[in-house]
Amino acid sequence: MRTPHALIATTVSAAALAATVVAPAPAAAVDAAPAPGAYYVQSATTGLNAAAGPGAVEQHRPRGNEDHQQWNLRADGTLENADSPGTCLGRTGDRAATVACASPDARWEIAPAGADRFTLTVPGTDRRLTVVPKPPGGGHPAPLAVGAGTGDLAAWYLTPVDPVTRPMPPQGQRTLDQVTFLTAHNAYANGADGGFAPPFVDLFPNQARGIERQLADGVRGFMLDVHQTPDGAILCHNSCTLVRRPVALWVDLQRIVDFLRAHPDQFVTVFLEDYVDPGVLRAELDRVQGLPEVLYRPDRTGVRENGWPTLGQLTAAGQRLLIFTDHSRAADRAAGLTRDTYGVMYQREWTVENHWSMGPGVGASDWSCYSRWDDAGTPVPLTRTEPGFRPLFVMNHFRDAAVSSTAGTDNSKLADRARRFCLPAARKKPNYLAVDRYDLGSPAAAVADLNTYTYP
């Protein structure tokens, strides 16, 4: 399944990662005021964009060149909306508003605020463009304020509409966060390896081929849902009740480990949509022969301080399987056993991820790209970056239900959505492109395109 989340296994092949060099361009200085050009005005707190509406400017979910979210920064400090010449981001009293660009209320002093962030201040005052804190249960769109804002609420990214890119490094010198992997959403829900859902639900498999064939085809991501039954950790969609011939988690993990042993230049990442107790999961992993020899532990290698290693370093060390869980660390602490003690990393600590669905299985789709974890407790914006560390970016590109004709159409548009919507929304390249029916619509071409350049 993949309603909240699943299991991604990712492997890199030399053919899938053949680099076509993009002409290098100098990077802009991090602490300099931005040069005139086209930008998204993006909150450092929420990752959402300033969008022009009738008279007002609000936070909206990133939608690329749609929804009036692009602004042309001019030399005089005004931000003209790309869709409405002569109309600028300005203010009316204590609210952000669209105003005539000739108005004094359209001018801002744009100053660096560290970490590639900026403040937009009313000239001669301490009043800044500020995010209005979201009330409990509140959502977006939400108005933007102009007031005595401080900290992250008043910090903004000016994300270029046409970002600077650099050539992809040579094969072995690419860091993990520079590479994009083709990922099969609900890879276990294929009907070839066994049952995956109760009757009628199993009429809509997310994939058409088994795990071993997916690996052979160049799929490098495998999303799996794992549920707890008296037989252990089983792969099923929502529930394992009435599922015929379900597959155990250890069986698919063994397939992946066997593939890694046969292909020592490959790297795999596993994301678990995880509904089992930590002790049950540990017992399931203990059944996988050869797992400890290939398991990669970023928590033990200084990744948070120094960034991700290169694929060459990982393969040389034999550390070629990275496992994540979407389970809560807090819940595991309450249970008395955290999953990272046996090598399963907590996904929120290491990745960012966009919302899991583009809409129903048929009909119009929602291409907006915003965080899956936009909750009131611990929101994780797609733009999250820490000193020395960039989270890996999981880009979901599928619907509520897998309809083959829809999946084929969606997959043919994957590269466009990644480039125009999700890359600027996250300010980083997608590392995992997760799709239904990877065999339709050539999503591998989107992966190959993203693997020709890096996004600093």
Side-chain angles (χ1 to χ4, degrees):
M1 141 187 175
R2 181 69 189 165
T3 319
H5 218 37
L7 178 132
I8 304 176
T10 303
T11 320
V12 182
S13 72
L17 297 183
T20 301
V21 173
V22 176
V30 171
D31 58 353
Y39 294 92
Y40 299 101
V41 181
Q42 193 170 22
S43 167
T45 301
T46 66
L48 304 183
N49 288 343
V57 177
E58 299 177 324
Q59 280 194 101
H60 288 192
R61 291 166 175 167
R63 289 189 60 87
N65 61 343
E66 301 176 3
D67 193 38
H68 312 293
Q69 295 184 10
Q70 295 183 357
W71 304 88
N72 294 317
L73 175 61
R74 308 195 307 187
D76 62 357
T78 57
L79 287 153
E80 181 181 43
N81 190 263
D83 299 319
S84 303
T87 300
C88 280
L89 190 161
R91 60 234 167 231
T92 299
D94 61 357
R95 294 289 183 181
T98 52
V99 301
C101 292
S103 167
D105 288 328
R107 280 159 179 73
W108 301 93
E109 290 179 353
I110 301 177
D116 203 25
R117 302 176 180 188
F118 299 90
T119 55
L120 280 69
T121 304
V122 178
T125 76
D126 62 356
R127 300 172 64 235
R128 297 184 176 91
L129 183 68
T130 305
V131 172
V132 177
K134 184 169 66 172
H140 299 287
L144 296 175
V146 179
T150 59
D152 284 349
L153 292 177
W156 299 88
Y157 296 113
L158 294 183
T159 301
V161 169
D162 296 311
V164 171
T165 60
R166 295 176 180 169
M168 185 68 108
Q171 187 76 24
Q173 298 176 26
R174 301 169 186 178
T175 57
L176 189 59
D177 58 326
Q178 291 177 326
V179 180
T180 301
F181 307 99
L182 178 60
T183 299
H185 168 236
N186 287 355
Y188 68 98
N190 55 59
D193 292 331
F196 61 90
F200 301 109
V201 177
D202 61 5
L203 297 177
F204 298 94
N206 297 94
Q207 307 300 335
R209 299 166 179 171
I211 296 295
E212 291 177 340
R213 173 66 186 275
Q214 292 176 33
L215 283 163
D217 286 347
V219 173
R220 297 307 181 241
F222 301 84
M223 294 183 165
L224 312 173
D225 298 2
V226 54
H227 292 263
Q228 188 165 321
T229 75
D231 296 323
I234 305 298
L235 300 171
C236 304
H237 188 281
N238 289 338
S239 168
C240 294
T241 303
L242 301 180
V243 176
R244 294 171 296 176
R245 299 185 300 111
V247 177
L249 171 62
W250 78 267
V251 172
D252 274 354
L253 289 181
Q254 189 68 65
R255 288 171 171 147
I256 292 166
V257 170
D258 290 346
F259 179 86
L260 288 174
R261 291 160 114 180
H263 301 83
D265 61 340
Q266 303 299 302
F267 183 86
V268 175
T269 306
V270 173
F271 294 72
L272 293 169
E273 186 175 322
D274 190 346
Y275 302 101
V276 302
D277 293 334
V280 171
L281 180 60
R282 180 173 63 180
E284 191 77 2
L285 298 186
D286 285 345
R287 299 182 67 180
V288 182
Q289 296 181 8
L291 177 62
E293 287 76 21
V294 297
L295 192 62
Y296 170 47
R297 298 288 303 269
D299 58 332
R300 294 182 174 178
T301 55
V303 169
R304 299 200 83 88
E305 297 76 26
N306 304 311
W308 296 98
T310 67
L311 292 175
Q313 291 169 326
L314 289 168
T315 55
Q319 299 172 341
R320 296 179 292 117
L321 177 60
L322 173 59
I323 303 178
F324 290 121
T325 175
D326 70 347
H327 208 82
S328 162
R329 176 185 286 275
D332 282 351
R333 282 176 174 158
L337 175 64
T338 59
R339 292 164 209 249
D340 56 355
T341 59
Y342 52 84
V344 177
M345 303 292 102
Y346 291 97
Q347 189 181 346
R348 284 200 187 201
E349 298 177 4
W350 300 95
T351 75
V352 294
E353 180 179 342
N354 67 313
H355 181 60
W356 58 270
S357 172
M358 296 192 297
V362 295
S365 60
D366 180 2
W367 276 28
S368 61
C369 213
Y370 61 99
S371 178
R372 174 190 170 203
W373 299 313
D374 184 27
D375 54 61
T378 54
V380 181
L382 290 183
T383 54
R384 184 185 73 175
T385 300
E386 302 168 20
F389 169 71
R390 293 196 304 180
L392 302 175
F393 175 22
V394 181
M395 179 184 157
N396 297 310
H397 186 80
F398 46 82
R399 310 287 189 106
D400 295 358
V403 177
S404 60
S405 59
T406 304
T409 300
D410 287 345
N411 290 348
S412 69
K413 300 176 180 179
L414 176 57
D416 189 39
R417 184 178 182 223
R419 177 179 55 83
R420 289 198 296 126
F421 288 73
C422 291
L423 188 151
R427 294 173 55 83
K428 56 179 71 77
K429 226 171 63 166
N431 300 107
Y432 304 95
L433 292 185
V435 300
D436 284 332
R437 292 301 303 271
Y438 74 87
D439 56 310
L440 302 175
S442 299
V447 173
D449 177 67
L450 286 165
N451 279 321
T452 63
Y453 66 89
T454 66
Y455 178 80

